Amino acid sequence: MLGRWKWIVLALVLVVVGMAIYTVRPILDQAGAATEYVARRACLCVYRSERSLTQCLVEMPGIVAQVDAELLQEEQAVRAWISFVAESTARYDGRSGCTLE
């Protein structure tokens, strides 16, 4: 009887893990898209429009408010990230604007 309960608990654990993975994957995809958006748009704003990063981030839509960003001055790039979830860097080159790495 005890062996049967082990299998039932194992099956339930596998179902819960499967549901968690199925639920988290779209969230991770959206987080990646948000960091790419912020990095590229902030890069263009800073290096093409010659504005401060703070000014550029204020204009971003509210949906990306949880994305942090920093200016990588020596590399002419902007790094955007959501802690422990996603990270993107957009680098400026004079010809094609900002490209994601």
Side-chain angles (χ1 to χ4, degrees), residues 64-83:
V64 294
Q66 295 180 353
V67 178
D68 294 312
E70 71 176 339
L71 196 59
L72 306 175
Q73 199 72 298
E74 293 179 7
E75 302 171 28
Q76 285 195 319
V78 174
R79 177 180 161 252
W81 72 94
I82 299 174
S83 297

Side-chain angles (χ1 to χ4, degrees), residues 8-59:
I8 292 172
V9 169
L10 178 63
L12 287 174
V13 167
L14 289 175
V15 167
V16 169
V17 169
M19 289 174 58
I21 291 171
Y22 182 75
T23 303
V24 170
R25 177 173 261 149
I27 295 170
L28 294 177
D29 290 342
Q30 290 175 355
T35 59
E36 289 175 357
Y37 174 81
V38 170
R40 188 159 189 281
R41 182 151 179 211
C43 178
L44 288 169
C45 182
V46 169
Y47 293 108
R48 277 262 168 99
S49 300
E50 298 178 351
R51 297 169 54 204
S52 73
L53 180 62
T54 305
Q55 289 175 328
C56 297
L57 293 176
V58 167
E59 296 177 351

